C-alpha cells in the first residue's frame, strides 16, 4: 500500500495531521500488519502535542485500539513532556508539609538522625486534622521509602517516650530494621514485637508479611513459619515476598534442608519464588554448603526456568571458577530437533507421563466440551455423532483446523485454494488426517476433494469447533499433531491450574503453526520442538535454558517460553605442571627397566 | 424578565416537544385518577394467564406473601450463625480494617455495616479486599458531595427569597407568558400511555431474570439500575411496550433491592408484571423470539405478533453465551440486531443494555427505520455515529454524515 511510503513525507512536512487522514489510517492499520503501527503512533503524538489543535472536536474513533495501546504506552513513557500518564501512581499528599518532608527525604539531606518530630506532627495536624489517626504510620512509610534506618530509630524512640505506638507503626518499623538494618538492629525488632503481642495475639495479613521480613535477619528467624501460617487465616496463600525472605534467611544461617522445604511449599501453593533466591542458593554453593547439581535438579523437578541475569552472572562465574574441572560454555539458540550447535549432542526427548495425559484427556471432555451445560458448546445429537465418528476412525496423525486456515491465512477469494494445498501436503505421506470445519465451508466439489484425501467432520454453524479439535487430537494419543495458528488460550483457561501447565507442555511439542501459504505451493510451516524444555544433565555437562528480557521474534507463540540455552561442557584438557610430567616419565622408565631385568 | 422559573419551563418544553404539543387545556380533563387506573389493572390482570405473584397491587396481599415465602436472612443474623473458624476470621478482618485505617488516611470507609462485613468475609485475597474498600470510599465521597450541594442550594434559595419583596413573592407562580408544566403532570401523562398500551394490547417485551446464579453482587445491582432506566424509557417512547419480568426469584437479591425501593413507591400506577413463572408457561412457543448477541440470524423486520425476549444478564466478569444456550435448549427462535450492517464497530461488547434495547425496538416498531433506531447505541462503541445527540428525537444528522461522506448504501467506513 502506498501509505507506507507516503507517511514519512507527511511527517516531514507538518506536525499536524488532519482528521481525514487519521481516520483512513485507522482503517488501514486495522486491516494490515503491525509494521505501520509506529508511524501511526508518531502521528498521533505529533497531533496531540502540537501547539495548534485540530478544529473538529475529537470523537471516539480517534482513540487507538486496545491492541495498539499497550505499544503506545511504551512509546509515550519514553518522552518527558507527558501530561496524562495512567501508569504513574498518583500520590496524594493530604497536607503540604508532608509533601515538603517527602521531597527533602528523597533529596538525601537527612543522612543522619534527628528531626523535631513533635513540631512536624503539630504542623501537619494543624493543616489537616483528619490525619490524626494515621500520621505516625504515614511518616514511618516515608522513612522506609528513603531507606534511612537511623531516622526510623529516632522516630521510634520519640513514640516510645510519648506512648504513641500502634500496630501499623510497629510492623513497618520491624520491616525497616530487618530489610535495611541487618543484624545490628535485632534488639529493636524483638522489643517492638513484644509490644505488638500485648495489643493482639493474632495478626492480619499485611503485618505478618512485614514480620517475616523483619525477623529474617535476626536469630529468631524460624518464627517466620508461624507468621506464614497465621497469614493463611485470611487468604489462600501467603505472599511470595515472605516465602522468598524466609528461604534467604535459612540459606544465610546454613540450614539448607529447611530452605528446600520452604521452596517446595512455595511452589506447591502455586507461587514462583523470586529470582533473588537463585542467586542466594549460588552463594551457599560458594561456601560449600550446597552443590550446584542439587540446585539445578531442584529447579528441574518443578520445571522452573531461571532468569537471564542470574545465568549470565553468578552461575557462569561459578563454573568458570571451578578448581576441579574446566568448563567450556556457549550461549546457544536451540533448534527444534534438540541438537545443540556447540556440542552436537541431542537433548532429552519430550515426554508426558501416561497418567497425566489421561487426566488431560478427561478434563478436556468434562470442562471444555461438556461444560456445566453441553448446550454452551454443542448439541447432544452432534456430540454423540462425534463420539461414534472418533471411535470408528480412531488414531489420527494430523488434526487440521479448517476455519483458522481459511480465514486467517488468506483473503476471501483464495479460501479454498489454501485449504486444498494444506490438505494435500499433509496427506502425502499416507498418514491419517482429520479436518474439522463448519457446515458453511463450501460446495460439494470442494468437500469431495477433501474427503478423498482425509476424514472430514463438519460442525454446526452455531457450535464451537476448538474443543472438538483438541479432544480429537488427545484421543488419538501422544504422537498426534494439531495444525492451527490459534494460541488456544480461551480453551486453556477452562482447565484446572495444574492441567493448564500440562496443556502448554503438550502444545509446545505437538502444535504445528502455518505462517504463510503462497500460490506456488510453497508453505512456511513452523514445526514444534522435540526436546524437553527444562534444565538437563548429560554425562558431559549441562544444558540450561533461560528467559531473556528482550524477545525479538514476532511470530513466536505465547506457550513457547525460550529457545535460548546455555551449553556447559567438561573439557578433557587437564593442566599438569611440569614437575608432575617429569615424575610420570621417570616412573614409566623405572617400570620398563624392571620388566627388562 | 427572564427569571430562573421562566427558563426552567422553557427548558422543559423544548426537551419534550411531543409532550408540549399534545398537552393543552383540553388534556387537563384526561387526568386519570388513581381509582380508574386501578380498575383497568385489575380487569386485565384477572384475565391474563395464571398470574400468581404480583407485587404490591394490594397492600394486604404483599404482607401475606412476605410471611408465606421463606424468610430472607439479614446480614446480622448470618453473622451470628458463623462457626468458630468464621468468627476467628471475622476478628482478624476487623483488625485488618483498623490497621488499614491507620496506614493510609483514605483507604477504608468510616462506617462499616454488617452487609459490608459479609461481603468481605467472602473474599480470600488481601488485594480484592483493598479494591472493595476503595470502591466504598468513593461512594461515600459521592454521597457527601451530593448532600453538600443540596445544602448549599437550599441556603442560596433562602437568601434569594429573603431579598425578594413580599408583594412579588405570591406572583412568582403566575403571570408568565408560558404555561406551567410540572414534572408530576408529565408523569401522569406518561402513565396514562402505559395504561393505554395495556388496553390496546401493544406488543409485549419479556425480561428473563433467570440468570441470578451467574452474576455477582455488582452485576445484580447494575441489572437493578438498568431495570429502572428501562421502565422510565418505556414511558417516554411513542408506543410503550407491555413489560413482563419472568422467572423472578422472590427470595433472591434482585427482589431484595427491589423491595427496598418499592416501599416508597405507589404501586397503583406500576405497569410491569413480575412473575415466578417462565415465559414458556405464559405464551405459546411459536410466538417467542429470543434476542441474543450470539445468534447468527439477523432481525430484519419487527413483527408485532411475536413476543420478544431480552435476557436480564449483565456480563462484566464472565462472558459466556448463556442466553444463546438457553434458547437453543428450549427450541425457541433466535435473532440479533443488524449492528454490522449499519454501523462500523470500534470497541465494546455487542451485548447492549436493557434501556438501549428498548429504545431501539421502540423506534423500529414505529418507523421501521434501522438507521434511526441504531442511534441509541452509545457513541464510544461506534466509529461513525450517524446521528449527533442521543437525546435528539427529531433525528438530526451529524456534521460528517451531512457532508455525504458516509451515506453509501453499505454505510461502512471509508
Amino acid at each position: 500500500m502506498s501509505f507506507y511510503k507516503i507517511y514519512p513525507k507527511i511527517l516531514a512536512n507538518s506536525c499536524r495531521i488532519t482528521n481525514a487522514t487519521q481516520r483512513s489510517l485507522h482503517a488501514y492499520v486495522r486491516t494490515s500488519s503491525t509494521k505501520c503501527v509506529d508511524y501511526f503512533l508518531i502521528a498521533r503524538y505529533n497531533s496531540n502535542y502540537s501547539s495548534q489543535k485540530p478544529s473538529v472536536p475529537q470523537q471516539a474513533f480517534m482513540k487507538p485500539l486496545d491492541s495498539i495501546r499497550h505499544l503506545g504506552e511504551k512509546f509515550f513513557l519514553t518522552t518527558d513532556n507527558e501530561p496524562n500518564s495512567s501508569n504513574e501512581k498518583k500520590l496524594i499528599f493530604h497536607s503540604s508539609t508532608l509533601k515538603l518532608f517527602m521531597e527533602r527525604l528523597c533529596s538525601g539531606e537527612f543522612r543522619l538522625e534527628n528531626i523535631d518530630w513533635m513540631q512536624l506532627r503539630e504542623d501537619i495536624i494543624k493543616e489537616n486534622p483528619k490525619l490524626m489517626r494515621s500520621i505516625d504510620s504515614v511518616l514511618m512509610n516515608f522513612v522506609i521509602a528513603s531507606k534511612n534506618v537511623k531516622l526510623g530509630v529516632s522516630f521510634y524512640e520519640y513514640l516510645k517516650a510519648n506512648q504513641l505506638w500502634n500496630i501499623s507503626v510497629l510492623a513497618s518499623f520491624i520491616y525497616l530494621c530487618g530489610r535495611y538494618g541487618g543484624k545490628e538492629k535485632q534488639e529493636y525488632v524483638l522489643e517492638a514485637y513484644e509490644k505488638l503481642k500485648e495489643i493482639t495475639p493474632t495478626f492480619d495479613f499485611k503485618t505478618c508479611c512485614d514480620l517475616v521480613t523483619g525477623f529474617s535477619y535476626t536469630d529468631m528467624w524460624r518464627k517466620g513459619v508461624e507468621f506464614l501460617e497465621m497469614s493463611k487465616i485470611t487468604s489462600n496463600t501467603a505472599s511470595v515476598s515472605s516465602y522468598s525472605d524466609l528461604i534467604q534467611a535459612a540459606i544465610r544461617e546454613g540450614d539448607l534442608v529447611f530452605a528446600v522445604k520452604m521452596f517446595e511449599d512455595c511452589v506447591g501453593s502455586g507461587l514462583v519464588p523470586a529470582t533473588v533466591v537463585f542467586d542466594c542458593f549460588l552463594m551457599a554453593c560458594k561456601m560449600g554448603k550446597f552443590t550446584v547439581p542439587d540446585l539445578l535438579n531442584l529447579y528441574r523437578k518443578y520445571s522452573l526456568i531461571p532468569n537471564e541475569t542470574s545465568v549470565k552472572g553468578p552461575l557462569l562465574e561459578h563454573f568458570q571458577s571451578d578448581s576441579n574441572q574446566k568448563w567450556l560454555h556457549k550461549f546457544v539458540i536451540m533448534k527444534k530437533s534438540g541438537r545443540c550447535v556447540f556440542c552436537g549432542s541431542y537433548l532429552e526427548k519430550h515426554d508426558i507421563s501416561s497418567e497425566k495425559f489421561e487426566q488431560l484427556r478427561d478434563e478436556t471432555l468434562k470442562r471444555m466440551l461438556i461444560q456445566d451445560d453441553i448446550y454452551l458448546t454443542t448439541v447432544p445429537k452432534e456430540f454423540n455423532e462425534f463420539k461414534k465418528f472418533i471411535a470408528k476412525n480412531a488414531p489420527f496423525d494430523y488434526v487440521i483446523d479448517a476455519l483458522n486456515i481459511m480465514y486467517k491465512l488468506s483473503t476471501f477469494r483464495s479460501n479454498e485454494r489454501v485449504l486444498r494445498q494444506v490438505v494435500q501436503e499433509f496427506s502425502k505421506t499416507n498418514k491419517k488426517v482429520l479436518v474439522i470445519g463448519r457446515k458453511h465451508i463450501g460446495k460439494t466439489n470442494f468437500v469431495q476433494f477433501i474427503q478423498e484425501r482425509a476424514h472430514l467432520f463438519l460442525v454446526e454453524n452455531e457450535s464451537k469447533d476448538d474443543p472438538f479439535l483438541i479432544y480429537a487430537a488427545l484421543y488419538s494419543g501422544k504422537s498426534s499433531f494439531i495444525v492451527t495458528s490459534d494460541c488456544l488460550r480461551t480453551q486453556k483457561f477452562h482447565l484446572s491450574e495444574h492441567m493448564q501447565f500440562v496443556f502448554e507442555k503438550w502444545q509446545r511439542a505437538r502444535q504445528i503453526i502455518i505462517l504463510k501459504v503462497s500460490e506456488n505451493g510453497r508453505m512456511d510451516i513452523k514445526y514444534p520442538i522435540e526436546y524437553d524444555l527444562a534444565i538437563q544433565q548429560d554425562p558431559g555437562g549441562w544444558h540450561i535454558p533461560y528467559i531473556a528480557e528482550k524477545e525479538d521474534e514476532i511470530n513466536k507463540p505465547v506457550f513457547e517460553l525460550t529457545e535460548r540455552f546455555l551449553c556447559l561442557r567438561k573439557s578433557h584438557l587437564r593442566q599438569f605442571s611440569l614437575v608432575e610430567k617429569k615424575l610420570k616419565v621417570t616412573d614409566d622408565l623405572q617400570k620398563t627397566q624392571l620388566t627388562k631385568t | 424578565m427572564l427569571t430562573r422559573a421562566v427558563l426552567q419551563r422553557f427548558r422543559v418544553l423544548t426537551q419534550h416537544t411531543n409532550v408540549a404539543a399534545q398537552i393543552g387545556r383540553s388534556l387537563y380533563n384526561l387526568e386519570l385518577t388513581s381509582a380508574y387506573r386501578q380498575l383497568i389493572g385489575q380487569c386485565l390482570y384477572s384475565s391474563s394467564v395464571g398470574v400468581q405473584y404480583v407485587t404490591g397491587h394490594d397492600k394486604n396481599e404483599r404482607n401475606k406473601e412476605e410471611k408465606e415465602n421463606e424468610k430472607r436472612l439479614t446480614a446480622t443474623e448470618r453473622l451470628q450463625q458463623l462457626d468458630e473458624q468464621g468468627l476467628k476470621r471475622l476478628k482478624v478482618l476487623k483488625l485488618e480494617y483498623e490497621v488499614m485505617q491507620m496506614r493510609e488516611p483514605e483507604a477504608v470507609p468510616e462506617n462499616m455495616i454488617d452487609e459490608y462485613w459479609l461481603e468481605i468475609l467472602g473474599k480470600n485475597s488481601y488485594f480484592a479486599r483493598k479494591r472493595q474498600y476503595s470502591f466504598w470510599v468513593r461512594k461515600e465521597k459521592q454521597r457527601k458531595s451530593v448532600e453538600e450541594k443540596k445544602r448549599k442550594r437550599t441556603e442560596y434559595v433562602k437568601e434569594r427569597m429573603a431579598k425578594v419583596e413580599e408583594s412579588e413573592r405570591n406572583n412568582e407562580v403566575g403571570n408568565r407568558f408560558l404555561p406551567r408544566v410540572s414534572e408530576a403532570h408529565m408523569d401522569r401523562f406518561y402513565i396514562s400511555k402505559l395504561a393505554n398500551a395495556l388496553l390496546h394490547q401493544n406488543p409485549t417485551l419479556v425480561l428473563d431474570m433467570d440468570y441470578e446464579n451467574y452474576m455477582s453482587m455488582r452485576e445484580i445491582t447494575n441489572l437493578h439500575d438498568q431495570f429502572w432506566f428501562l421502565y422510565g424509557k418505556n414511558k417516554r417512547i411513542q408506543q410503550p411496550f407491555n413489560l413482563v419480568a419472568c422467572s423472578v426469584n422472590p427470595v433472591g437479591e434482585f427482589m431484595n433491592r427491589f423491595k427496598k425501593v418499592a416501599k416508597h413507591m405507589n404501586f397503583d400506577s406500576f405497569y410491569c408484571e413480575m412473575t415466578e413463572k417462565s415465559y414458556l408457561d405464559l405464551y405459546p412457543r411459536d410466538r417467542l423470539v429470543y434476542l441474543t448477541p450470539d445468534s447468527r440470524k439477523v432481525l430484519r423486520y419487527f413483527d408485532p405478533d411475536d413476543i420478544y425476549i431480552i435476557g436480564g444478564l449483565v456480563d462484566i466478569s464472565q462472558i459466556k453465551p448463556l442466553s444463546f444456550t438457553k434458547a437453543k435448549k428450549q427450541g425457541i427462535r433466535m435473532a440479533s440486531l443488524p449492528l454490522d450492517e449499519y454501523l462500523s464497530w470500534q470497541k465494546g461488547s455487542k451485548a447492549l443494555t436493557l434501556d438501549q434495547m428498548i429504545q431501539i425496538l421502540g423506534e423500529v416498531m414505529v418507523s421501521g427505520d434501522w438507521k434511526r433506531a441504531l442511534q441509541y447505541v452509545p457513541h464510544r462503541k461506534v466509529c461513525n455515529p450517524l446521528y449527533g445527540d442521543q437525546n435528539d428525537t427529531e433525528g438530526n444528522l451529524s456534521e460528517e454524515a451531512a457532508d455525504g461522506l458516509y451515506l453509501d448504501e453499505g454505510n461502512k467506513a471509508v
Side-chain angles (χ1 to χ4, degrees), chain A residues 61 133 137 210 234-235, chain B residues 101-103 124 129 296 383:
Chain A
F61 60 81
R133 223 184 154 184
S137 52
D210 290 340
T234 48
S235 74
Chain B
Q101 208 175 31
M102 286 182 232
R103 236 172 217 272
N124 248 343
R129 273 175 253 146
R296 290 184 163 241
C383 279

Side-chain angles (χ1 to χ4, degrees), chain A residues 23 59-61 94 133-134 137-138 166-167 202 204 210 233-236 373 375-376 438 461, chain B residues 89 92 95-96 101-103 105-106 124 126 129 296 324-325 328-329 346 379-380 383 400 406 414:
Chain A
R23 260 179 259 144
Q59 294 179 11
F61 60 81
H94 294 271
R133 223 184 154 184
S134 60
S137 52
V138 168
N166 56 40
I167 298 173
T202 50
D204 65 298
D210 290 340
I233 295 173
T234 48
S235 74
N236 286 329
D373 195 359
Y375 284 91
L376 279 167
R438 279 191 183 155
N461 286 332
Chain B
R89 241 185 123 203
V92 177
L95 219 201
E96 198 186 63
Q101 208 175 31
M102 286 182 232
R103 236 172 217 272
E106 279 183 358
N124 248 343
Y126 172 73
R129 273 175 253 146
R296 290 184 163 241
F324 179 68
T325 54
K328 240 205 287 186
K329 229 186 190 174
Q346 190 195 344
H379 288 191
R380 63 190 152 86
C383 279
E400 291 91 14
Y406 295 105
V414 170

Side-chain angles (χ1 to χ4, degrees), chain B residues 12 51-52 54 82 88 105 107 135 169 172 205 218 244 253 256 266 296 321 331 358 368 381 389 393 398-399:
Chain B
V12 159
V51 173
Q52 268 182 352
V54 178
L82 288 171
K88 201 181 177 188
F135 172 71
R169 230 178 266 172
E172 194 87 13
L205 189 71
R218 179 190 165 189
V244 179
E253 294 185 5
N256 194 27
N266 181 14
R296 290 184 163 241
I358 202 170
K381 297 189 181 184
D389 265 327
T393 49
S398 63
E399 289 175 19

Side-chain angles (χ1 to χ4, degrees), chain B residues 103-344:
Chain B
R103 236 172 217 272
E104 291 171 35
E106 279 183 358
V108 154
E110 288 171 4
N111 306 318
M112 287 288 284
I113 324 171
D114 283 333
E115 282 146 5
Y116 287 178
W117 286 121
L118 248 192
E119 264 208 65
I120 282 213
L121 256 184
K123 307 222 172 192
N124 248 343
S125 130
Y126 172 73
F127 298 103
R129 273 175 253 146
K130 230 181 165 183
R131 268 177 264 147
Q132 184 76 68
Y133 281 133
S134 63
F135 172 71
W136 284 327
V137 165
R138 265 184 279 149
K139 280 230 145 180
E140 263 191 8
K141 274 190 190 175
Q142 272 179 17
R143 271 179 232 151
K144 278 184 189 174
S145 66
V146 162
E147 280 175 19
E148 268 205 49
K149 268 192 189 177
K150 267 193 186 177
R151 193 176 48 82
K152 280 187 185 175
R153 174 85 193 133
T154 49
E155 281 177 13
Y156 174 72
V157 165
K158 271 186 195 173
E159 282 175 18
R160 280 217 53 210
M161 293 296 276
K163 287 180 190 174
V164 171
E165 290 177 9
E166 279 198 32
S167 58
E168 280 196 26
R169 230 178 266 172
N170 293 326
N171 288 335
E172 194 87 13
V173 175
N175 280 350
R176 299 283 183 267
F177 70 96
L178 293 168
R180 186 177 184 206
V181 180
S182 63
E183 298 215 16
H185 191 89
M186 285 195 281
D187 242 1
R188 270 178 264 145
F189 176 74
Y190 293 135
I191 290 161
S192 67
K193 269 210 277 186
L194 290 175
N196 285 328
L198 261 184
L199 270 177
H200 302 294
Q201 289 175 337
N202 273 14
T204 49
L205 189 71
V206 174
L207 281 180
D208 190 13
M209 303 288 206
D210 201 9
Y211 302 105
E212 267 189 37
N213 294 329
Y214 299 100
M215 291 198 283
S216 62
M217 273 306 292
R218 179 190 165 189
E219 290 163 341
I220 293 173
T221 48
N222 286 349
L223 216 203
H224 179 253
D225 296 338
Q226 277 180 27
F227 176 79
W228 285 111
F229 276 118
L230 176 134
Y231 185 70
K233 293 201 172 168
N234 191 30
K235 284 187 207 173
R236 285 163 170 78
I237 57 180
Q238 206 172 344
Q239 291 289 330
F241 286 96
N242 281 333
L243 285 176
V244 179
C246 287
S247 45
V248 174
N249 186 7
V251 192
E253 294 185 5
F254 179 81
M255 283 311 288
N256 194 27
R257 285 184 176 271
F258 189 83
K259 280 175 190 172
K260 284 182 193 174
V261 171
K263 279 183 206 168
H264 309 288
M265 265 194 70
N266 181 14
F267 271 93
D268 295 335
S269 55
F270 180 71
Y271 286 97
C272 174
E273 234 178 274
M274 319 271 282
T275 60
E276 264 182 332
K277 296 196 169 187
S278 83
Y279 45 83
L280 292 173
D281 304 330
L282 295 173
Y283 304 106
R285 244 177 236 219
D286 302 335
R287 288 172 66 190
L288 295 171
V289 178
Y290 212 118
L291 296 173
T292 68
D294 301 310
S295 82
R296 290 184 163 241
K297 291 183 189 171
V298 170
L299 184 74
R300 293 275 152 74
Y301 304 105
F302 184 91
D303 194 359
D305 290 332
D306 287 340
I307 291 163
Y308 290 95
I309 308 170
I310 294 174
L313 171 68
V314 175
D315 51 359
I316 291 170
S317 52
Q318 270 195 354
I319 298 176
K320 280 186 183 178
L322 290 167
S323 51
F324 179 68
T325 54
K326 206 179 170 190
K328 240 205 287 186
K329 229 186 190 174
Q330 294 168 348
I332 305 171
R333 276 185 288 156
M334 286 186 276
S336 66
L337 298 178
L339 298 169
D340 287 330
E341 294 179 15
Y342 296 95
L343 303 171
S344 65

